[in-house]
Amino acid sequence: MAQSSVGLICLGEATNFGDDLIMIAGVAAIAAQHDDVEVRYLSFGSPVNWAEISARLGLRLDPRPVRYQRELPGSRRSELAFGGCDALLVGGGGLFQTSHHPHTPYLWLSHLPRHLPTVPVLGVGLGLGPLSDDWSRRLRRLGSPFDECHLRDADSVTLAEERLGWRVHRCRDFVDRVFLRQLGIDAPGGAAGPGQLGVALRRWPGLEVGPTARHIARIAESCGTDTIRVFVLEAGPHCPDLTFSEQVGRELGRDAEVVPYRGVDLVAFAEAMARCTVAVSMKLHSSALWAALGVPIFPISYAPKTAAFFGEPFHGLTVYDRVLPPAVEPETVPRAADVVGPWVERALAGAVRPARAVLPRGERVRLQTSSTAINVCRQLGRGLKSAVTPGAR
């Protein structure tokens, strides 16, 4: 009898700490209940140390990476990438948004098989938005691409139900206290002394280097910390967060150390974050990690998801000069990881009847063509900038 196979479509191994944690939690959620199932996952080429992670979790994790490759118009490369899988998971994280690219949702939808018999698909731990009007209309017209969908926050549920017309459920994020403790990341264990201020930033319109550095320095002084470590959770090529964090670090002076994330060092990076005794946090999953460990957080909120994490209304970019506790989720909202196992069991048993919407062939080709044109223009722009900027990366 052929081995069953489950695919995980995620932003994995893309030098993004939060998304790598989500990927690991998703793979672990499948393996914890189905250790005889082959797991394939979408990889962007910056591998994590699966042997170390397996040992930490006490699970036999040997997932198979499916390397992401951009499509040309008319190609079926993405659609065929997970061929032979008996079920697919999409999530978690903020995959369905148009902040960074006008066709980001298509990147994920392109990996879902179009032809019958369709493979059952679970959307889990996802955050939706912001979405352009164009994509909101397209997704409403298309219908839900998932046979079952669990979103990680109330705003995403509202967007899905009211703007897109989807039927959805709530769940918690993949990255929580339970998962971090399973990974061996526990309460702060730094050496005795004044303590360490952890910082996690992203470049954002309206957030300037000088004022940000002065804000961090004031918090370090008021909390009596003797060192500052600036953790760059998204440090891949062309990611502006690294440049911005380095500029802030230089402004702070010799007591500040900038620590870029590398996938192979995921556990060490998380343990270094866990040694912080207070934090200035702008990234969602830095907030999730520090909150899970009971570290006091001075948030910088730039999006509805970061405001919602602390139970605050979103009023644009907000730099808080006080500690905020994370919002408390109702006990009735399940963990994303706890949604996965039972659904996979039902899907592999044939108890999930696929009824999801699929992108028509013509729509796929139009989106492929538009995405390719945008990507080519961006690459040309980067090349031109490097040619005229001395010392450009």
Short mmCIF file of all heavy atoms in Angstrom, two decimals, residues 316-342:
data_model
loop_
_atom_site.label_atom_id
_atom_site.label_comp_id
_atom_site.label_asym_id
_atom_site.label_seq_id
_atom_site.Cartn_x
_atom_site.Cartn_y
_atom_site.Cartn_z
N GLY A 316 -3.25 53.13 12.94
CA GLY A 316 -2.03 53.44 12.23
C GLY A 316 -0.81 53.17 13.09
O GLY A 316 -0.90 52.63 14.21
N LEU A 317 0.37 53.53 12.58
CA LEU A 317 1.62 53.29 13.30
C LEU A 317 1.57 53.93 14.68
O LEU A 317 1.31 55.12 14.82
CB LEU A 317 2.79 53.88 12.49
CG LEU A 317 4.18 53.75 13.12
CD1 LEU A 317 4.61 52.30 13.17
CD2 LEU A 317 5.18 54.59 12.33
N THR A 318 1.81 53.11 15.71
CA THR A 318 1.75 53.59 17.10
C THR A 318 2.95 53.07 17.88
O THR A 318 3.19 51.86 17.92
CB THR A 318 0.46 53.12 17.80
OG1 THR A 318 -0.67 53.53 17.02
CG2 THR A 318 0.35 53.72 19.19
N VAL A 319 3.71 53.99 18.49
CA VAL A 319 4.86 53.63 19.32
C VAL A 319 4.44 53.80 20.78
O VAL A 319 4.18 54.92 21.23
CB VAL A 319 6.07 54.53 19.01
CG1 VAL A 319 7.26 54.15 19.89
CG2 VAL A 319 6.45 54.42 17.52
N TYR A 320 4.34 52.70 21.49
CA TYR A 320 3.85 52.73 22.88
C TYR A 320 5.02 52.97 23.85
O TYR A 320 6.07 52.33 23.73
CB TYR A 320 3.16 51.42 23.23
CG TYR A 320 1.84 51.21 22.52
CD1 TYR A 320 1.78 50.57 21.29
CD2 TYR A 320 0.66 51.68 23.07
CE1 TYR A 320 0.58 50.39 20.63
CE2 TYR A 320 -0.56 51.49 22.43
CZ TYR A 320 -0.60 50.85 21.20
OH TYR A 320 -1.79 50.67 20.55
N ASP A 321 4.79 53.86 24.81
CA ASP A 321 5.80 54.11 25.84
C ASP A 321 5.44 53.44 27.15
O ASP A 321 5.91 53.81 28.23
CB ASP A 321 6.00 55.61 26.05
CG ASP A 321 4.71 56.32 26.46
OD1 ASP A 321 3.69 55.63 26.65
OD2 ASP A 321 4.73 57.55 26.60
N ARG A 322 4.60 52.42 27.06
CA ARG A 322 4.22 51.65 28.25
C ARG A 322 4.14 50.17 27.88
O ARG A 322 3.97 49.82 26.71
CB ARG A 322 2.87 52.13 28.79
CG ARG A 322 1.68 51.83 27.90
CD ARG A 322 0.40 52.45 28.46
NE ARG A 322 -0.79 52.00 27.76
CZ ARG A 322 -1.23 52.50 26.62
NH1 ARG A 322 -0.55 53.47 26.02
NH2 ARG A 322 -2.34 52.04 26.05
N VAL A 323 4.23 49.33 28.90
CA VAL A 323 4.11 47.88 28.70
C VAL A 323 2.65 47.53 28.47
O VAL A 323 1.76 48.02 29.17
CB VAL A 323 4.66 47.12 29.92
CG1 VAL A 323 4.32 45.64 29.85
CG2 VAL A 323 6.16 47.32 30.03
N LEU A 324 2.40 46.67 27.48
CA LEU A 324 1.05 46.18 27.23
C LEU A 324 1.04 44.65 27.36
O LEU A 324 1.94 43.98 26.84
CB LEU A 324 0.56 46.55 25.83
CG LEU A 324 0.28 48.03 25.54
CD1 LEU A 324 -0.25 48.18 24.12
CD2 LEU A 324 -0.71 48.60 26.53
N PRO A 325 0.04 44.09 28.01
CA PRO A 325 -0.08 42.63 28.06
C PRO A 325 -0.73 42.12 26.77
O PRO A 325 -1.48 42.85 26.12
CB PRO A 325 -1.01 42.39 29.26
CG PRO A 325 -1.87 43.63 29.29
CD PRO A 325 -1.00 44.77 28.82
N PRO A 326 -0.46 40.88 26.39
CA PRO A 326 -1.13 40.33 25.20
C PRO A 326 -2.61 40.10 25.48
O PRO A 326 -3.02 39.91 26.64
CB PRO A 326 -0.41 39.00 24.98
CG PRO A 326 0.12 38.62 26.34
CD PRO A 326 0.46 39.92 27.01
N ALA A 327 -3.41 40.16 24.42
CA ALA A 327 -4.83 39.86 24.55
C ALA A 327 -5.01 38.40 24.97
O ALA A 327 -4.23 37.53 24.57
CB ALA A 327 -5.55 40.13 23.24
N VAL A 328 -6.03 38.14 25.74
CA VAL A 328 -6.31 36.78 26.22
C VAL A 328 -7.35 36.14 25.29
O VAL A 328 -8.43 36.68 25.10
CB VAL A 328 -6.84 36.80 27.67
CG1 VAL A 328 -7.17 35.39 28.13
CG2 VAL A 328 -5.81 37.44 28.59
N GLU A 329 -6.97 35.01 24.71
CA GLU A 329 -7.88 34.30 23.81
C GLU A 329 -8.88 33.47 24.63
O GLU A 329 -8.50 32.86 25.63
CB GLU A 329 -7.11 33.36 22.90
CG GLU A 329 -6.26 34.06 21.85
CD GLU A 329 -7.06 34.50 20.66
OE1 GLU A 329 -8.31 34.48 20.72
OE2 GLU A 329 -6.45 34.88 19.64
N PRO A 330 -10.14 33.42 24.21
CA PRO A 330 -11.10 32.55 24.90
C PRO A 330 -10.67 31.09 24.81
O PRO A 330 -10.08 30.65 23.83
CB PRO A 330 -12.40 32.78 24.11
CG PRO A 330 -12.21 34.06 23.39
CD PRO A 330 -10.74 34.18 23.10
N GLU A 331 -10.95 30.34 25.86
CA GLU A 331 -10.58 28.92 25.89
C GLU A 331 -11.27 28.12 24.78
O GLU A 331 -10.81 27.05 24.40
CB GLU A 331 -10.92 28.32 27.26
CG GLU A 331 -10.02 28.81 28.38
CD GLU A 331 -8.58 28.37 28.19
OE1 GLU A 331 -8.35 27.26 27.66
OE2 GLU A 331 -7.69 29.15 28.56
N THR A 332 -12.38 28.65 24.30
CA THR A 332 -13.13 27.94 23.25
C THR A 332 -12.43 28.00 21.89
O THR A 332 -12.81 27.27 20.97
CB THR A 332 -14.54 28.53 23.12
OG1 THR A 332 -14.43 29.96 22.92
CG2 THR A 332 -15.36 28.26 24.37
N VAL A 333 -11.45 28.90 21.74
CA VAL A 333 -10.73 29.00 20.47
C VAL A 333 -9.59 27.99 20.47
O VAL A 333 -8.68 28.06 21.30
CB VAL A 333 -10.17 30.43 20.27
CG1 VAL A 333 -9.38 30.51 18.96
CG2 VAL A 333 -11.29 31.45 20.27
N PRO A 334 -9.59 27.01 19.56
CA PRO A 334 -8.57 25.95 19.59
C PRO A 334 -7.22 26.45 19.07
O PRO A 334 -7.13 27.43 18.34
CB PRO A 334 -9.15 24.88 18.65
CG PRO A 334 -9.98 25.66 17.68
CD PRO A 334 -10.57 26.79 18.47
N ARG A 335 -6.17 25.75 19.46
CA ARG A 335 -4.84 25.99 18.91
C ARG A 335 -4.83 25.53 17.45
O ARG A 335 -5.47 24.54 17.09
CB ARG A 335 -3.78 25.23 19.68
CG ARG A 335 -3.68 25.59 21.16
CD ARG A 335 -2.66 24.69 21.86
NE ARG A 335 -1.32 24.86 21.32
CZ ARG A 335 -0.58 23.89 20.84
NH1 ARG A 335 -1.03 22.63 20.83
NH2 ARG A 335 0.64 24.12 20.37
N ALA A 336 -4.06 26.23 16.61
CA ALA A 336 -3.95 25.82 15.20
C ALA A 336 -3.43 24.38 15.11
O ALA A 336 -3.91 23.58 14.30
CB ALA A 336 -3.03 26.77 14.45
N ALA A 337 -2.43 24.06 15.95
CA ALA A 337 -1.85 22.72 15.90
C ALA A 337 -2.88 21.65 16.23
O ALA A 337 -2.82 20.52 15.71
CB ALA A 337 -0.67 22.63 16.87
N ASP A 338 -3.86 21.97 17.10
CA ASP A 338 -4.86 20.98 17.48
C ASP A 338 -5.94 20.81 16.41
O ASP A 338 -6.69 19.83 16.44
CB ASP A 338 -5.52 21.39 18.81
CG ASP A 338 -4.55 21.30 19.98
OD1 ASP A 338 -3.55 20.55 19.85
OD2 ASP A 338 -4.78 21.96 21.00
N VAL A 339 -6.01 21.75 15.49
CA VAL A 339 -6.95 21.61 14.37
C VAL A 339 -6.41 20.63 13.34
O VAL A 339 -7.16 19.87 12.71
CB VAL A 339 -7.19 22.99 13.71
CG1 VAL A 339 -7.98 22.85 12.39
CG2 VAL A 339 -7.92 23.93 14.66
N VAL A 340 -5.08 20.60 13.19
CA VAL A 340 -4.46 19.88 12.08
C VAL A 340 -4.66 18.38 12.15
O VAL A 340 -5.09 17.73 11.18
CB VAL A 340 -2.95 20.22 12.02
CG1 VAL A 340 -2.23 19.29 11.03
CG2 VAL A 340 -2.75 21.67 11.62
N GLY A 341 -4.30 17.76 13.28
CA GLY A 341 -4.31 16.30 13.38
C GLY A 341 -5.64 15.66 13.03
O GLY A 341 -5.70 14.78 12.16
N PRO A 342 -6.74 16.07 13.68
CA PRO A 342 -8.04 15.46 13.37
C PRO A 342 -8.47 15.68 11.92
O PRO A 342 -9.06 14.78 11.30
CB PRO A 342 -9.00 16.16 14.34
CG PRO A 342 -8.14 16.62 15.47
CD PRO A 342 -6.83 16.98 14.85
#
